[in-house]
């Protein structure tokens, strides 16, 4: 696999506090790499260092084989960046905004027009090309922001929490657009604290906490790190203690919690746990309203590695 970004031993301090602490990782051509971590874990700092927007204390960063520096313009034009904060011109409509940003890189008018139309289709803004930013909802504005960042069809795209506080329709649209960009061959770094998005989108994930890498791998590889194979949840009223104790002693049970009416059980191994539990409840004539089984999530991985919830 060809590596397009190499970060080696990156450390960035604010005063004496390390926002990023001896970070090393690579990004491979054509992948979507998720940088996942709670707020304050160092995601934005890492991105800003990669882009040479921030000076750092130690380490080396190479993009497309060359060391990054603030005036590495040839490399910078190969990178499309979309920050959380929307940065568009209020006095330009949707089309003209995209035209402006795309025009910074692509001078040929015909070629640019095609790029702009591609970007508009990608984020689904076809009906809004004549609208001004003030006339757009928050979600549509974020889509415009993305279109402005990627219209010049860069090789590398960096998206910093693009779906924070976005309505579900725009969120789906954005996730869909990102998958299309990957299909077209872009390499993407995606920062988020939403593990569900990482599960849908990312080929590989880096879990960050307090400026350090806790784990790297595909979502399946990361889930191998946890002891849990299956989680079963049952909605069941007023369970007695002796019944709970009996369930706790079932094969493979790792942990059991009961907060009336939700019973949650984690199992170390997978086979037949749900069926066994249902058989038992039937035999004991205990009624339940809902029962389902899940694989562990990346939040469980994070919980196991750090003892705290990703969403905190
Ligand atoms: P994330 O993007 O994961 O939310 P950040 O990279 O923004 O995390 O922040 C990492 C750490 O660096 C946090 O502890 C944050 O408070 C600190 N930090 C970020 N920017 C600054 C700054 N300009 N001055 C001082 N501390 C900062």
């Amino acid at each position: 696999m060809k590596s397009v970004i190499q970060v080696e031993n990156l450390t960035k301090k604010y005063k004496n506090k390390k926002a990023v602490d001896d970070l090393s990782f690579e990004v491979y051509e054509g992948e979507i790499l998720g940088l996942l971590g709670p707020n304050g874990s160092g995601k934005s700092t890492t991105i800003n260092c990669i882009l040479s927007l921030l000076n750092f204390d130690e380490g080396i960063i190479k993009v497309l084989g060359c060391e990054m520096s603030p005036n590495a313009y040839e490399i910078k034009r190969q990178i499309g960046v979309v920050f959380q904060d929307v940065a568009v011109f209020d006095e330009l409509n949707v089309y003209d905004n995209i035209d402006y940003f795309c025009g910074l890189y692509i001078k040929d008018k015909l070629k640019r027009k095609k790029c702009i139309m591609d970007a508009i289709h990608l984020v689904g803004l076809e009906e809004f090309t004549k609208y001004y930013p003030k006339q757009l909802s928050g979600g549509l504005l974020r889509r415009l922001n993305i279109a402005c960042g990627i219209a010049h069809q860069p090789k590398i795209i960096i998206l910093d929490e693009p779906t924070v506080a976005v309505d579900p329709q725009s969120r789906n649209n954005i996730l869909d657009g990102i998958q299309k960009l990957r299909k077209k061959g872009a390499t993407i770094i995606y920062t988020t604290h939403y593990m569900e998005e990482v599960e849908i989108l990312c080929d590989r994930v880096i879990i960050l906490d307090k400026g350090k890498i806790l784990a790297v791998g595909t979502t399946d590889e990361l889930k191998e790190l946890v002891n849990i194979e299956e989680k079963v949840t049952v909605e069941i009223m007023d369970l007695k203690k002796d019944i709970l104790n009996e369930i706790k002693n079932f094969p493979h049970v790792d942990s059991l919690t009961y907060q009336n009416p939700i019973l949650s059980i984690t199992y170390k191994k997978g086979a037949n746990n749900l069926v066994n539990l249902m058989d038992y409840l039937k035999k004991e004539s205990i009624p339940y309203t809902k029962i389902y089984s899940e694989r562990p999530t990346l939040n469980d991985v994070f919980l196991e590695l750090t003892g705290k919830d990703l969403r905190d």
Side-chain angles (χ1 to χ4, degrees), residues 259-287:
Q259 279 182 318
N260 198 1
I262 302 295
L263 173 67
S264 310
I265 308 166
T266 61
Y267 292 90
K268 286 183 203 142
K269 290 183 189 158
N272 299 325
N273 297 319
L274 188 66
V275 177
N276 289 345
L277 182 65
M278 286 165 79
D279 286 349
Y280 171 80
L281 295 172
K282 192 171 172 195
K283 183 170 79 57
E284 298 291 324
S285 308
I286 300 171

Side-chain angles (χ1 to χ4, degrees), residues 126-137:
E126 295 89 342
E127 293 166 41
F128 303 95
T129 54
K130 295 260 183 317
Y131 283 53
Y132 286 83
K134 286 218 157 65
Q135 298 170 296
L136 301 176
S137 68

Side-chain angles (χ1 to χ4, degrees), residues 14 17 19 38-45:
Y14 289 108
K17 189 170 175 261
N39 285 329
S41 56
K43 303 183 294 296
S44 301
T45 303

Side-chain angles (χ1 to χ4, degrees), residues 10-14 45 48-49 52-57 70:
L10 176 69
T11 296
K12 164 72 190 170
K13 291 184 211 159
Y14 289 108
T45 303
N48 286 326
C49 290
S52 254
L53 296 174
L54 264 182
N55 290 324
F56 43 90
D57 299 277

